[in-house]
Structure formats: C-alpha cells, structure tokens
C-alpha cells in the first residue's frame, strides 16, 4: 500500500514529517479528543480497532509482562492486556517520579473497572512503582508514534521519552534483543522515512498495527542497547531525577557516563526545548487539558475560577462548559463560521450562555447523583474526559451532590450514559441516568428542554462555583 502522505527524501527532517502528518490528520478530521493533534501522539479514529489487533499477535499471546506507553490512543491496548491477565507496566508521566508503574487491578475487577485501570486515572489509583533495582523482564513493548515506515523506522513527537524509556530498560536488563516492539498508528501515519534520519538512540519497531492491517517490519537497524550519556546533559538529569540514579549505578559499574556539555542545537529527541518555530501554517491550539498521559491534566479554569472579565449578576445562572469532547468540536465549527473573537473567547473560558444561538435548539440531559462532598468540578470533568463522555454543557450543583450533563442529541447522550455506568469518584459510586424530563415516549422538539429556575441561595462548599437552575422534574429527581 502506497503512503498517503508523500515525503521528499531530499532534505526532509523529522519535524517536516511530523508537521505533514499532524496537519493531514487535522485537515481530514481523523482524530478524536484531545485536539489539535500537533505536538502529541495523535489519538486517531480507529485506535480501538488497531489495538484489538494486538491480541492476534503470537508475541502478545506468549508474553507475560508488557510495557505500554500512557498515551490516549494506546488506552485500549492497556485494557486488552489487563483483560488477558498479563502484567501491565506503564511509564510514569514524563518520568518525573520513576520509570514504571505496575497496574494492579482490584481483585475480581470486571471489564468496566479494567477500563478505568487502563486510563490515566487508573495509573494514579491502581498502580505500584517499579524501581531500577527491581528485577523486571519485559516481553513486549507497545509505543505510540507520529510516523512510522514499513521498514520499522519510527518518529515520535520529539521529546524522546519512548527512546529514553527503552534505553533505561536496556540498561537495567529489562529488555534485550528478543524483546518485541509494537506501535499502533493510523494508516496515514505510515510514510517513507529516510534511513539517514535514524540515529543510534532512536527506537525501531517490529510490528505496526493499524485499523486495517498488521505489518511485520523485519527492521535491520538495532535497537538502543542502553543510555547514550553524551546525548544528555545536566539540565536533563535535573528534570528526570531517575537518570541521576541510573548514572550513579552505571558509574559504579565502571561505565563511561560522560555527559554532553550543552543542549543539542536542534529540537530532535532528548531535547527539552520542544519543536522549532515553524513559519508554515499552523492550526491554533485550544485551551484544552493535555490527556496524552505524558502531561498530567491541568485543572480547567474559567467561570469557576472567576476569570471571565465580563461582570455578571449576583444570582445569574452559570454554566460550566468544557473545552473538550463534543463541546470543543461545536465551538470549532462556530469559530469557522466567522463569529467574533469576543464571542469565541467567552465560549472557551466557560462564560454563561447569554445568546440562545450559542447552543443547539434541543439537548438531551443526563443526571449525575451522589457526587461526594469536596469533589471539584475539574475532577468531574477529568473523569468525564477519561470515559469519552464530555458534555456540550455541564451544570454543576456540588452542594446538592449532583450535576446535569447536556448532550446535543439522544444518541450521544446514550453513549455517554453507557460509559458512565459504574462511575466511582473518590470512593463513592455515582448514579448516572437520563434526567426525568427526558424519560418520555415522545420527546418535545423546539427549544432546549432545560428551563432555568431561580438560582439557589445555598452557599458554596468548595472553591468550585455553584450552579443552579435545572428543570423542576430534574430537581425532584435529585431530591428523591
């Protein structure tokens, strides 16, 4: 199969190839949240189908311990690994606190709980650290990629963590020449990568899994045999403390651990400076929390943090509207239709909906009850994103232990409702069901079926803004 994206081998750089792929995926709407995909391992559409192919590999069936990167498109690969009762190792985000986390699901965990364990939330809640001194043998490694060739040449997003993680595993004896490396990508991410771009520290792959096929690369280039210390420098060790420990161990073993004297001038792997400035067209980045596992999600700020410069009435209803999922796609379309910058700014920062044209004429509402005391709205948003259930609008009533999630149509709401079954927040089970106003044989058409009531006077119990104003039937449902 010929590559969809053509690479000119004359003078091509890794960043040229990355930009072509990121732009192509965005221009053709081939990715799910988080968007845009620039500077990420793309969460491509069809990632679940590609990850399912992992279970067909004989190397997977015979493996006991599998290391999988924490990026979003490989989440289903982590799930099928846990479902097959294999040991799952996930690198710690940006290697800040160590090398691995071993995911330990609770005893008797069902599929829903295993899905949670395979998410970034699960890495935090259901894992134990694995240190350099622990004796670990990794049978299979699954990495994300921005680009990969049929010859097994791989290009990541430019920060070098996959290369560094493999080199560290080689140094501690966790991997060797028998360890199989697999990457999971969209078909469009397969391109012809010039071999001269590959360096000794670059990780190559043995298998490529896409939504449509499995490719065995028979790559002839060797994988990293350990840390190439001259590629690193003191500043890098300060950012990744575990490297200091590894350096000390290798120095005690009599190995040459001479560091480079200064950061490399180009922004290739193992460079902390990130991508070079690109004079070509780039899509603007949204104010969305990073969810690719390498960066821990930041708490969203907006109306909850009082950052909207526009004054509001004291008892006005406030809407918390995330910058992710369905809402993000809707806002992008609004922006492309020529709406003013001021209007777009209000949408992105979570301002209240003062103009009915900013929302669909009809929404379907999901009720969440039993929200535990002290939970922040940002924590709820993170859980919703983890389950691909981010709403068009979130009405937060933390003091009353409830929230309402608005979706653009019944099908989206049903899918979100299914994903939210078994939701557990801070050790408390949360009730998720259609709001009572939705449970009718014929749903009304026309304007939104959510009508605001006078705002509640209950004082907030946390730093998150209290939101009032759902339909009378929804309020009665919450009280029952």
């Amino acid at each position: 199969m010929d590559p969809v994206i053509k690479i000119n081998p004359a003078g091509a750089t890794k960043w040229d190839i990355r930009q072509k792929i990121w732009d192509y995926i965005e221009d053709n709407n081939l990715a799910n949240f988080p968007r845009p995909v620039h500077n990420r391992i793309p969460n491509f559409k069809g990632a679940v189908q590609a990850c399912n192919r992992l279970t067909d590999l004989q190397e997977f069936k015979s493996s006991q311990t599998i290391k999988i990167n924490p990026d979003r498109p490989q989440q289903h690969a982590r799930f099928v690994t846990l479902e097959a009762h294999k040991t799952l190792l996930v690198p710690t985000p940006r290697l800040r606190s160590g090398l691995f986390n071993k995911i330990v699901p609770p005893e008797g965990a069902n599929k829903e709980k295993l899905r949670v364990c395979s998410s970034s939330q699960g890495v935090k809640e259901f894992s134990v650290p694995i240190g350099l001194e622990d004796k670990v043998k990794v049978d299979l490694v699954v990495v994300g990629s921005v680009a990969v060739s049929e010859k097994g040449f791989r290009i990541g997003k430019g920060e070098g963590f996959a290369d560094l993680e493999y080199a560290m595993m080689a140094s501690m004896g966790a991997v060797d020449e028998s360890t199989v490396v697999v990457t999971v990508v969209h078909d469009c991410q397969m391109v012809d990568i010039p071999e001269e771009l590959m360096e000794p520290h670059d990780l190559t792959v043995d298998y490529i899994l896409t939504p449509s096929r499995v490719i065995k690369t028979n790559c002839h280039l060797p994988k990293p045999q350990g840390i190439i210390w001259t590629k690193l420098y003191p500043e890098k060790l300060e950012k990744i403390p575990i490297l200091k420990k590894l350096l000390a161990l290798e120095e005690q073993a009599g190995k040459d651990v001479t560091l480079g004297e200064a950061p490399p001038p180009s922004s290739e792997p193992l460079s902390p400076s990130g991508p070079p400035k690109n004079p070509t067209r780039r899509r603007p980045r949204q104010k969305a929390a990073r969810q690719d596992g390498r960066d821990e999600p930041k708490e969203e700020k907006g109306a909850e943090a009082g950052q909207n410069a526009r004054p509001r009435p004291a008892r006005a209803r406030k809407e918390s509207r995330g910058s992710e999922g369905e809402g993000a796609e809707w806002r992008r379309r609004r922006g492309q239709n020529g709406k003013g910058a001021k209007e777009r700014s209000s949408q992105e920062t979570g301002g209240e909906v003062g103009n009915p044209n900013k929302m669909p004429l009809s929404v379907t509402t999901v009720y969440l009850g039993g929200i535990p005391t002290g939970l922040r709205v940002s924590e709820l948003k993170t859980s919703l994103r983890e389950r691909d259930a981010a709403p068009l609008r979130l009405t937060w009533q933390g003091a009353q232990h409830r929230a309402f999630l608005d979706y653009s149509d019944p099908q989206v709401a049903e899918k979100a409702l299914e994903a939210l079954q078994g939701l557990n927040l801070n050790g408390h089970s949360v009730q998720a069901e259609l709001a009572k106003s939705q449970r009718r044989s014929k749903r009304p058409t026309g304007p939104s079926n959510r009508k605001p009531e006078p705002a509640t006077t209950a004082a907030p119990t946390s730093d998150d803004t209290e939101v009032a104003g759902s339909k009378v039937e929804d309020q009665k449902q919450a009280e029952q």
Side-chain angles (χ1 to χ4, degrees), residues 26-38:
E26 279 296 327
D27 292 342
N28 292 276
N29 192 29
L30 297 177
N32 295 315
F33 175 82
R35 301 279 294 273
V37 298
H38 294 85

Side-chain angles (χ1 to χ4, degrees), residues 128 155 356:
V128 294
I155 296 177

Side-chain angles (χ1 to χ4, degrees), residues 345-415:
S345 175
S346 174
Q347 294 167 7
E348 291 173 357
T349 55
E352 68 179 33
V353 182
N355 185 343
N357 292 330
K358 293 184 181 181
M359 290 292 292
L361 292 177
S362 178
V363 296
T364 301
T365 304
V366 170
Y367 163 78
L368 292 183
I371 292 177
T373 301
L375 186 79
R376 297 175 62 88
V377 67
S378 57
E379 295 174 305
L380 175 59
K381 288 181 180 180
T382 297
S383 296
L384 295 176
R385 285 194 298 268
E386 294 292 349
R387 292 171 175 250
D388 292 323
L392 189 65
R393 175 176 58 190
L394 186 155
T395 303
W396 172 254
Q397 297 183 344
Q400 289 77 38
H401 308 291
R402 62 188 179 233
F404 296 93
L405 313 178
D406 288 345
Y407 297 92
S408 60
D409 60 65
Q411 290 76 21
V412 176
E414 287 292 342
K415 183 178 178 181

Side-chain angles (χ1 to χ4, degrees), residues 92-98 159 161 164 168 232-245 263-264 270-274 294:
T92 59
R94 307 190 76 83
L95 300 177
R96 291 190 187 100
S97 57
E159 295 184 327
F161 282 105
L164 189 56
M168 294 174 71
L232 302 177
Y233 43 92
E235 290 84 351
K236 191 74 173 181
L237 270 64
E238 291 298 326
K239 294 181 178 180
I240 306 178
I242 192 173
L243 280 175
K244 290 184 178 180
K245 187 173 182 180
L270 303 183
S271 168
S273 57
R294 305 289 178 172

Side-chain angles (χ1 to χ4, degrees), residues 98-145:
L99 180 55
F100 295 133
N101 286 298
K102 177 182 176 182
I103 309 303
V104 183
E107 187 175 354
N110 57 19
K111 284 191 176 183
E112 184 60 33
K113 181 61 69 174
L114 292 180
R115 292 189 190 280
V116 174
C117 292
S118 65
S119 68
S120 59
Q121 174 187 351
V123 175
K124 297 177 182 178
E125 297 182 6
F126 301 100
S127 66
V128 294
I130 301 295
L132 292 175
E133 65 282 356
D134 294 305
K135 297 300 181 182
V136 177
K137 177 62 171 69
V138 177
D139 304 305
L140 184 69
V141 174
V142 180
V143 296
S145 301

